[in-house]
């Protein structure tokens, strides 16, 4: 996107960022030109260059942040979390609720106050501040904001130099170097800077920032780590950091260290001047500010801003109830996940990069656990490259999630947590890893149950507190990941995998050898060695059966009978975030529905998600994906051979969208000829999903019917659905409140030569005369339309007359429905005359219009060709349940249409028309002498009276 095409708000943000960089580069007020600015930059102090480069580096946002759209700076998105000063004896433990915080007497601090002198502070020595918090509380975000504010001169101005380090990078350095070389290696412009020379007390103006100290192996024992006071002495990075904290090296310098809860004891208490704990967002107002900073960063268009503001209000109401979501949003990370999910559900833009719900959850885990490993303890020399923290999460918390999904449970007792998370640990190393995992990670995924704003104990067998996943969808995601990674293998498969891993590599070499010497040994002995080839093939056979069972599970979970009439899965996700405002949706199944579970399983097989998982140490092989996909296609096609309700079809479309596999989507849709999404509350996302999935099919693929009636469609959604309409013959858009502006889009749709819509139903949309005129402009050039329904669209006499003029220019139309449009006798007669002269129209619907008895008789007479041989064809005119003194052949379809639509029509007017029908029937019955015809009249009268009673019953209710 070029700069000229960006929205004004985006240009303003970019301009501000540019001005800030220029101000940092050229602080003097006398810069008159680019040349003078360039000259000043060359002569600028290294500190100013350092500020400029730090600002650019720390302004870079992770790829995951770009999904919120727009161009914005990190400071515009930042909301300060609560930071509490903790005493050394009370520093452990996670504060996971507002109630826990309120019971403490700890003062809250700002970043500036962290470096205020303490009681133990000694003049001439810098402070060592240890900032710690659980996973997801916002440590890295606070560090980024601190650096940016220092570069801008808005905080910690007492320090002339800020030197941030990533402890993960330092932990991988094997070459020794001095402190000054270590700084200059990362910041070349600070090479030999006097503030780092160690002379005098210049270092008092320096602040070192070590982010993630748990990533380093620090040993503070004198016997293991030598003392060092010379910043030019070459030592390992760990020794340099230890001596900085000991205040042997640059004692005047101040230091900030960030770490997790489990690593608090890595630094002895005597080397820490102040403990400060990040506690996340302790009240709904902080959370609301965070949501506004994310969701309102849009392209400036009023509809998007209004919808985002409405979402924030609904979300705030849900948080004020102290719901389970409010407990989860205590952690800023879950606020991010909530914002990303709502942005995905409601602010989807067809022009933006494709996002999936599975991708959001995978990105969420990468943001919090990317590169994390389970440490084996300080001083350990064991290789940790295989100890992926995320893989450990899958094997423990994922196993718990899978057990809950399998047995339809969402809450777990403390005993169950103990059983599933580390219940089989044996060695000291495993126990140490388990202790760290429980301290840092378990509370990130699991939280105590919340009910009516209180943490309550849902009493089990042992009166234990119950725990749930912080976000319900996370349970389904981890369960899906547990299955897709193959962690739920049977004992036979685990055994054959181990045997195959041992024998497989050896079998190739041994087979090659015995192929040479086979002619010299007995055949029986040679057959024994061929067994070496058996185990890998046997394992592959069992493995393929396991992949087939995964696909079968996905299909079975997608189409569970007890969940078939629940809300579609995207609505369920929305309700879990925004709550339910109004009547509770009817739940048809007894247990908790887990309809996201199979959708996540499909989404995890997509290439981009597999790459992110690979970075987390969770690898899904391409062969696994191919085997599951092949089996899944077969099971999905089998299930789709049965009739499915609209909610299940919507869930299927979401699955195919999350899978992002065009070939699979095309093969599955090849077995579908009708998609009925009646009464599905369509959103921009659902429209995009439908269009995306249908776009995967070849150009020759066409649906017989696409039913989008009563879906709350808007003009913007119609535009987004245009790719889907290209694959449709019969399009049903009735009951959608589409107005005159929508007709312009529909007109363009009918004029598109790539679209071959044969039937267009627009009943019960307020198109009005102006909208109908716009739509009718497409008739002369359109050659595909054969059935057009404009029932109850507000045509009126003028619209009917316009239609009578236009249909002469369209030769393919066969049936026209303009019932219930306030059309009078003259306009109706003109329309029927035009239809009689038309070469192909055979049926016109005109019932529920204010037609006189004389007008009805004239219509029936006009519909019959003249006996004198004049021009004109026979046209069926459906104006009433009677045709003069006879019963109309179409009385039953007329009553059926009235019954189906009466709930959305004006009740009094419909009842008046039904009374007219009864009057016509009574008069016609009196004219009949034949007993059988009189009985037939009675039968039709009974149907009309039943319809009338239904209307009166609905009105009284």
């Amino acid at each position: 996107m070029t700069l000229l095409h960006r929205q004004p708000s985006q240009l303003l943000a970019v301009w501000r960022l540019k001005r800030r960089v220029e101000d940092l580069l050229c602080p003097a007020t006398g810069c008159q030109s680019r040349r003078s600015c360039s000259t000043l930059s060359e002569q600028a102090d290294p500190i100013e260059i350092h500020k400029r480069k730090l600002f650019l580096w720390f302004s870079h946002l992770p790829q995951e942040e770009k999904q919120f759209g727009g161009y914005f700076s990190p400071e515009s998105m930042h909301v300060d979390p609560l930071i509490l000063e903790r005493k050394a004896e009370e520093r452990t433990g996670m504060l996971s609720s507002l109630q826990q915080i309120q019971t403490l007497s700890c003062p809250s601090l700002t970043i500036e106050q962290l470096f205020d002198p303490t009681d133990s502070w000694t003049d001439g020595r810098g402070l060592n501040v240890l900032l710690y918090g659980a996973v997801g509380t916002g440590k890295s975000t606070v560090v980024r904001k601190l650096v940016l504010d220092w570069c801008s001169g808005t905080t910690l101005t007492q320090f002339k130099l800020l030197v941030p380090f990533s402890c993960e990078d330092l932990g991988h350095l094997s070459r020794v170097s001095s402190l000054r070389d270590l700084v200059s290696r990362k910041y070349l412009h600070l090479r030999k800077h006097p503030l780092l020379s160690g002379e005098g007390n210049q270092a008092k103006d320096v602040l070192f920032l070590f982010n993630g100290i748990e990533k380093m192996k620090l040993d503070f024992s004198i016997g293991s780590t030598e003392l060092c006071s010379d910043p030019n002495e070459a030592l390992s990075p760990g020794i340099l950091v230890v001596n900085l904290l000991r205040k042997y090296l640059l004692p005047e310098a101040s230091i900030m260290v960030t770490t997790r809860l489990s690593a608090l004891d890595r630094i002895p208490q005597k080397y820490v001047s102040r403990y400060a704990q990040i506690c996340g967002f302790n009240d709904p107002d902080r959370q609301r500010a965070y949501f506004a900073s994310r969701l309102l960063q849009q392209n400036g268009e009023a509809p998007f801003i209004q919808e985002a503001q409405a979402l924030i209000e609904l979300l705030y109401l849900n948080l004020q109830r102290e719901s389970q979501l409010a407990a989860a949003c205590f952690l800023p990370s879950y606020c991010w996940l909530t914002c990303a999910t709502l942005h995905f559900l409601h602010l989807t833009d067809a022009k933006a990069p494709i996002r999936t719900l599975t991708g959001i959850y995978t990105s969420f885990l990468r943001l919090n656990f990317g590169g994390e490993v389970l440490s084996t303890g300080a001083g350990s020399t064991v290789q940790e490259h295989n100890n992926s923290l995320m893989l450990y999460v899958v094997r423990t918390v994922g196993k718990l999630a899978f057990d809950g999904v399998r047995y339809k449970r969402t809450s777990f007792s403390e005993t169950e947590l103990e059983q599933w998370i580390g219940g089989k640990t044996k060695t000291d190393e495993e126990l140490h890893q388990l202790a760290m995992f429980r301290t840092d990670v378990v509370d990130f995924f699991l939280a105590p149950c919340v009910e009516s704003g209180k943490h309550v104990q849902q009493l089990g067998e042992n009166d234990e507190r119950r725990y749930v996943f912080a976000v319900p969808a996370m349970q389904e995601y981890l369960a899906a990941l547990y299955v897709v990674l193959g962690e739920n293998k049977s004992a036979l498969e685990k055994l054959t995998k181990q045997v195959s891993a041992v024998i497989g590599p050896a079998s190739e070499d041994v087979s090659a050898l015995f192929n040479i010497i086979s002619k010299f040994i007995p055949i029986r002995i040679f057959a024994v060695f061929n067994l070496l080839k058996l185990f890998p093939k046997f394992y592959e056979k069992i493995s393929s059966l396991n992949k087939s069972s995964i696909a079968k599970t996905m299909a079975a979970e997608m189409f569970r009978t007890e969940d078939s009439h629940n809300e579609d899965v995207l609505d369920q996700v929305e309700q879990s975030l925004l709550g339910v405002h109004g009547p509770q949706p009817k739940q048809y199944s007894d247990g908790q529905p887990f309809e996201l579970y199979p959708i996540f399983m499909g989404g995890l097989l997509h290439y981009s998600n597999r790459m992110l998982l690979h970075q987390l140490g969770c690898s899904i092989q391409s062969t696994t994906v191919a085997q599951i996909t092949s089996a899944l296609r077969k099971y999905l096609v089998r299930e789709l051979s049965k009739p499915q309700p609209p909610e299940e079809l919507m869930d299927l479309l979401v699955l195919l969208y999350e899978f992002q596999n065009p070939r699979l989507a095309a093969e599955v849709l090849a077995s579908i000829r009708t998609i009925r999404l009646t009464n599905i509350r369509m959103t921009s996302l659902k429209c995009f999903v439908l269009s995306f999935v249908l776009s995967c099919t070849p150009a020759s693929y066409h649906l017989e019917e696409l039913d989008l009636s009563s879906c709350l469609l808007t003009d913007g959604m119609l535009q987004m659905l245009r790719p889907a309409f290209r694959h449709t013959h019969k399009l049903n858009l009735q009951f959608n409140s589409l107005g005159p502006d929508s007709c312009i889009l529909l007109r363009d749709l009918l004029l598109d030569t790539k679209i071959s819509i044969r039937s267009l139903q627009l009943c019960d949309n307020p198109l009005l005369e102006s909208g109908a005129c716009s739509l009718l402009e497409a008739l002369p050039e359109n050659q595909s339309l054969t059935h057009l329904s404009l029932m109850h669209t507000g045509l009126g006499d003028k619209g009917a007359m316009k239609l009578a003029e236009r249909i002469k220019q369209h030769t393919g139309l066969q049936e026209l429905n303009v019932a219930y449009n306030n059309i009078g006798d003259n306009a109706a007669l003109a329309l029927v005359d035009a239809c009689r002269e038309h070469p192909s129209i055979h049926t016109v619907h005109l019932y529920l219009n204010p037609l006189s008895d004389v007008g009805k008789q004239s219509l029936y007479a006009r519909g019959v060709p003249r006996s004198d041989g004049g021009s004109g064809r026979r046209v069926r005119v459906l104006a009433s349940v009677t045709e003069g003194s006879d019963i109309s052949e179409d009385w039953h379809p007329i009553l059926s249409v009235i019954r189906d639509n009466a709930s959305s029509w004006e009740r009094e007017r419909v009842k008046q028309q039904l009374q007219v029908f009864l009057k016509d029937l009574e008069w016609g019955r009196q004219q009949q002498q034949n007993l059988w015809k009189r009985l037939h009249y009675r039968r039709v009268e009974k149907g009309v009276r039943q319809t009338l009673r239904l209307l009166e019953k609905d009105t009284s209710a």
Side-chain angles (χ1 to χ4, degrees):
M1 180 183 295
T2 63
L3 191 61
L4 293 177
H5 288 85
R6 293 177 183 170
Q7 298 293 331
S9 61
Q10 300 171 351
L11 292 175
L12 181 60
V14 174
W15 178 81
R16 286 176 177 170
L17 178 61
K18 182 178 180 182
R19 283 294 303 273
R20 179 166 293 185
V21 173
E22 290 177 352
D23 291 342
L24 291 170
L25 180 62
C26 306
T29 59
C31 294
Q32 300 296 329
S33 65
R34 291 182 179 271
R35 181 176 300 177
S36 60
C37 184
S38 176
T39 303
L40 285 175
S41 67
E42 293 174 0
Q43 301 174 355
D45 184 82
I47 298 295
E48 297 301 326
I49 298 176
H50 183 61
K51 287 183 177 180
R52 175 173 60 85
K53 291 192 174 183
L54 275 186
F55 187 86
L56 291 175
W57 288 335
F58 281 81
S59 295
H60 176 74
L61 295 172
Q63 183 70 27
E64 288 78 6
E65 294 286 6
K66 296 181 180 179
Q67 65 187 303
F68 293 105
Y71 290 82
F72 44 84
S73 56
E75 57 264 29
S76 68
M77 300 160 52
H78 182 77
V79 177
D80 291 322
L82 178 67
I83 301 177
L84 296 179
E85 182 174 7
R86 303 294 299 275
K87 297 178 182 179
E89 59 273 12
E90 64 181 14
R91 65 188 187 275
T92 59
M94 177 181 175
L95 301 178
S96 58
S97 69
L98 181 60
Q99 288 82 0
Q100 288 179 312
I101 292 175
Q102 290 174 341
T103 58
L104 296 175
S105 58
C106 305
S108 61
L109 300 173
T110 64
I111 291 295
E112 287 276 359
Q113 294 171 332
L114 289 176
F115 293 93
D116 289 345
T118 63
D119 296 337
S120 60
W121 178 74
T122 305
D123 190 17
R125 284 178 175 261
L127 292 176
N128 289 349
V129 176
L130 181 56
L131 184 66
Y132 67 97
V135 178
T137 50
K139 298 184 295 296
S140 298
T141 305
V142 168
V143 167
R144 180 190 295 119
K145 185 64 165 53
L146 183 153
V147 173
L148 292 175
D149 287 348
W150 177 82
C151 292
S152 304
T154 58
T155 191
L156 299 179
T157 54
Q158 68 268 34
F159 297 110
K160 295 180 180 178
L161 179 61
L162 171 63
V163 185
F165 281 105
S166 166
C167 292
E168 184 176 5
D169 294 341
L170 295 178
H172 286 89
L173 293 178
S174 57
R175 191 172 64 179
V176 298
S177 61
S178 66
L179 177 62
R180 301 188 73 177
D181 290 340
L182 190 65
V183 172
S184 62
R185 177 184 297 180
K186 187 172 181 64
Y187 308 106
L188 182 62
H189 45 274
L190 296 179
R191 186 177 184 183
K192 297 183 179 180
H193 197 281
L195 290 178
L196 300 173
S197 64
E199 298 176 0
N201 64 346
Q202 295 184 86
K204 66 181 176 59
D205 297 325
V206 178
L207 172 61
F208 288 98
L209 198 161
F210 296 100
N211 188 27
I213 200 70
E214 71 274 2
K215 306 288 180 64
M216 297 187 69
K217 302 296 183 183
L218 302 183
D219 190 346
F220 284 84
S221 61
I222 298 294
S224 302
T225 306
E226 59 185 285
L227 300 179
C228 171
S229 61
D230 183 4
N232 296 305
E233 182 179 354
L235 295 169
S236 66
I239 295 178
L240 294 177
V241 173
V242 167
N243 280 282
L244 282 171
L245 291 168
R246 283 174 172 169
K247 296 303 180 186
Y248 276 87
L249 183 60
L250 300 184
E252 303 84 6
S254 294
I255 301 172
M256 174 182 278
V257 173
T258 68
T259 188
R260 291 184 175 176
L261 291 170
S262 63
L264 274 177
D265 294 331
R266 298 277 183 92
I267 302 176
Q269 180 181 336
K270 62 181 179 180
Y271 297 131
V272 179
S273 308
R274 173 175 282 123
Y275 288 97
Q277 182 173 6
I278 298 182
C279 300
F281 298 148
N282 62 313
D283 61 82
D285 290 330
R286 288 181 191 259
Q287 297 165 354
R288 180 176 184 172
Y290 184 95
F291 297 140
S293 70
R294 287 297 197 280
L295 296 177
L296 293 180
Q297 293 285 353
Q298 294 301 314
N299 55 12
E301 295 181 5
F304 279 96
I305 298 298
Q306 292 173 0
E307 185 168 6
Q309 289 174 338
L311 289 176
I312 292 171
E313 291 302 321
L314 291 174
L315 194 55
Y316 184 63
L317 289 175
N318 196 24
L319 294 172
Q320 285 183 314
R321 299 176 186 147
E322 298 185 11
S323 60
Q324 194 69 51
L325 178 66
C329 288
F330 188 83
L331 294 178
S333 286
Y334 278 104
C335 290
W336 182 94
L337 180 61
T338 300
C339 286
T341 305
L342 286 177
H343 191 279
F344 170 72
L345 291 175
H346 286 277
L347 304 177
T348 297
D349 185 357
K351 299 178 182 178
I354 291 178
R355 307 286 180 188
T356 64
L357 190 61
T358 313
I360 289 173
Y361 274 75
T362 307
S363 299
F364 169 74
L365 293 177
R366 193 181 81 91
L367 281 173
N368 289 281
F369 298 100
E372 297 289 343
V373 296
L374 268 178
S375 174
T376 53
S380 174
T381 59
V382 179
Q383 295 294 324
E384 298 180 0
H385 61 275
N386 290 325
N387 298 336
S388 162
L389 180 58
M390 192 63 230
L391 188 58
Y392 194 87
V393 168
V394 174
R395 290 172 175 171
T396 52
V397 183
K399 189 175 184 180
L400 175 72
F402 174 72
D403 183 73
V405 170
R406 182 166 56 176
Y407 295 107
K408 308 303 175 189
R409 296 188 303 122
T410 58
S411 64
F412 309 90
S413 66
E414 292 179 338
T415 302
E416 290 169 329
L417 296 186
E418 180 70 26
Q419 173 188 353
W420 292 109
I421 302 176
K424 298 181 180 180
T425 53
K426 298 178 182 179
T427 66
D428 291 341
E429 179 182 320
E430 290 175 336
L431 290 173
H432 181 79
Q433 289 181 347
L434 178 61
M436 296 181 64
F437 183 75
R438 286 175 172 169
T439 303
D440 289 337
V441 180
V442 172
D443 289 333
F444 179 80
F445 290 103
L446 296 163
C449 285
V450 174
E451 182 178 326
S452 301
K454 299 179 181 179
H455 291 271
V456 297
Q457 295 183 359
Q458 296 181 350
L459 301 181
E461 295 179 358
N462 300 317
D463 294 347
E464 294 179 299
R465 183 186 293 271
R466 308 289 296 182
Y467 291 83
V468 297
F469 280 84
V471 173
M474 184 59 71
Q475 178 179 354
E476 299 179 72
Y477 178 90
L478 291 176
L481 185 56
Y482 179 79
V483 172
V484 172
L485 287 176
E487 294 298 328
N488 62 328
K489 299 183 182 75
S490 63
L492 177 61
E493 187 176 6
K494 290 180 180 179
L495 176 63
T496 53
K497 181 178 182 179
Q498 295 171 358
V499 174
S500 178
V502 174
I503 297 181
S507 66
E508 298 179 4
D509 299 331
V510 176
S511 295
L513 173 64
F514 278 94
N515 282 337
I516 298 174
I517 65 174
S518 60
K519 61 181 70 176
F520 304 109
I521 62 176
I523 294 178
R524 292 182 179 179
I525 298 178
F526 181 69
V528 172
F529 290 99
N530 279 335
L531 289 175
L532 294 173
K533 300 179 181 179
L534 171 63
F535 287 99
K537 295 180 179 179
F538 183 53
Y539 168 69
E540 290 176 4
K541 181 66 175 177
I542 295 178
S543 178
S544 64
L545 291 175
N546 179 265
K547 304 305 183 297
S548 178
S549 67
I550 292 176
K552 186 176 181 180
T553 299
M554 291 173 64
E557 291 292 332
M558 275 294 301
F559 300 105
R560 293 177 70 241
T561 305
E562 56 268 36
D563 295 335
S564 60
H565 294 285
N566 292 338
E567 300 282 337
D568 68 81
V569 68
L570 294 180
D571 279 355
Q572 292 179 34
V573 174
E574 179 189 305
Q575 290 168 6
S576 70
L577 299 178
L578 301 180
V580 179
H581 302 271
Q584 291 286 333
K586 187 174 181 180
Q587 193 75 23
Y588 291 86
S589 56
D590 296 332
Q592 171 72 23
F594 291 100
E595 297 182 70
L596 264 178
Y597 169 56
I599 291 174
F600 277 142
M601 291 172 69
L604 288 169
L605 300 180
H606 183 230
Y607 178 78
S608 63
N609 290 322
R610 288 191 286 124
M611 290 300 99
L612 290 178
L613 288 171
H614 181 72
Q615 297 174 20
L616 291 170
C618 303
S619 298
I620 303 174
Q621 302 299 325
S622 298
T623 53
T624 300
V625 177
Q627 291 172 347
I628 294 177
T629 304
S630 177
L632 179 62
R633 181 193 62 79
K634 177 181 65 176
Y635 290 118
L636 287 179
V637 170
R638 181 184 301 172
E639 292 291 339
L640 289 173
S641 62
K642 313 168 190 174
Q644 299 294 340
E647 293 80 8
E648 293 295 284
L649 285 177
M650 189 69 242
D651 291 349
L652 171 68
L653 295 172
V654 174
L655 170 66
L656 296 177
Y657 172 77
E658 292 283 326
F659 216 112
Q660 292 288 303
N661 187 326
R663 181 176 178 179
L664 174 67
E667 291 176 346
V668 171
L669 289 180
S671 62
I672 301 177
R673 289 303 172 188
T674 300
I675 295 181
R676 291 189 175 91
L677 300 178
T678 309
N679 294 320
I680 294 293
R681 186 181 62 88
M682 295 298 285
T683 61
S684 297
L685 173 62
K686 295 176 186 177
C687 293
F688 183 75
V689 167
L690 177 59
S691 292
F692 175 86
V693 174
L694 285 176
S695 297
C696 296
T697 59
S700 58
Y701 173 81
H702 282 88
L703 290 169
E704 289 300 323
E705 180 180 5
L706 176 59
D707 188 348
L708 296 174
S709 58
S710 303
C711 289
L712 303 178
L713 295 177
T714 63
D715 295 347
M717 294 180 190
L718 283 182
Q719 187 66 34
M720 195 173 287
L721 285 168
R722 186 163 181 159
F725 295 156
R726 293 181 179 177
H727 298 273
T728 304
H729 285 321
K730 183 179 180 181
L731 180 59
N732 188 343
L733 296 176
Q734 61 184 6
F735 300 108
N736 277 299
S737 300
L738 300 175
D741 293 338
S742 302
C743 292
I744 299 176
L745 297 172
L746 294 172
R747 176 198 63 193
D748 297 339
L749 191 70
L750 293 175
L751 291 175
D752 192 339
T753 56
K754 297 180 180 179
I755 297 177
S756 58
I757 294 177
R758 298 172 185 170
S759 174
L760 179 60
Q761 298 184 47
L762 295 171
C763 314
D764 289 271
N765 288 294
L767 306 182
L768 306 180
E769 176 194 344
S770 59
C773 290
S774 299
L775 182 65
L776 296 177
E777 292 175 4
L779 291 184
E781 298 183 31
N782 178 272
Q783 300 299 323
S784 62
L785 196 64
T786 60
H787 293 73
L788 177 62
S789 178
L790 298 174
M791 181 173 64
H792 197 211
T793 55
L795 281 181
D797 286 343
K798 292 183 179 180
M801 296 297 289
K802 193 71 174 179
L803 180 58
E805 296 175 7
R806 289 286 186 177
I807 60 174
K808 300 175 183 178
Q809 301 170 341
H810 189 282
T811 58
L813 205 60
Q814 298 176 10
E815 185 172 351
L816 181 63
N817 189 340
V818 289
Y820 198 4
N821 267 303
N822 202 28
I823 298 175
D825 291 352
N826 294 333
L829 289 171
L831 184 59
V832 170
D833 286 342
C835 293
R836 191 179 60 176
E837 300 296 330
H838 194 276
S840 57
I841 292 180
H842 55 71
T843 304
V844 180
H845 300 254
L846 282 166
Y847 43 87
L848 296 183
N849 282 305
L851 303 173
S852 65
D853 292 339
V854 176
K856 293 177 186 177
Q857 294 298 326
S858 300
L859 288 175
Y860 295 129
R862 297 283 183 93
V864 180
R866 288 184 292 180
S867 59
D868 58 2
S871 63
R873 303 169 47 256
R874 172 176 172 78
V875 176
R876 292 171 57 200
V877 180
L878 280 64
S880 178
V881 292
T882 61
E883 295 182 5
S885 59
D886 294 326
I887 295 290
S888 171
E889 296 177 358
D890 303 294
W891 70 270
H892 191 273
I894 292 175
L895 289 182
S896 297
V897 170
I898 293 175
R899 290 194 195 100
D900 294 340
N901 301 283
S903 60
S904 62
W905 288 347
E906 185 181 345
R907 303 290 177 86
E908 291 301 322
R909 184 172 175 181
V910 174
K911 285 196 289 186
Q912 289 176 6
Q913 290 294 323
L914 291 175
Q915 294 288 355
V916 172
F917 287 171
L918 288 175
K919 181 180 177 182
D920 292 343
L921 288 168
E922 185 178 356
W923 180 84
R925 178 166 47 83
Q926 293 175 355
Q927 306 302 315
Q928 296 295 332
Q929 301 299 324
N930 188 299
L931 177 62
W932 294 110
K933 286 189 176 183
R934 292 172 67 90
L935 291 175
H936 188 36
Y937 268 90
R938 291 285 188 186
R939 178 189 172 195
V940 179
E941 282 185 49
K942 182 179 178 181
V944 175
R945 293 185 189 280
Q946 287 178 345
T947 306
L948 194 58
R949 280 196 295 271
L950 287 174
L951 276 175
E952 292 174 346
K953 182 179 179 181
D954 292 341
T955 303
S956 61

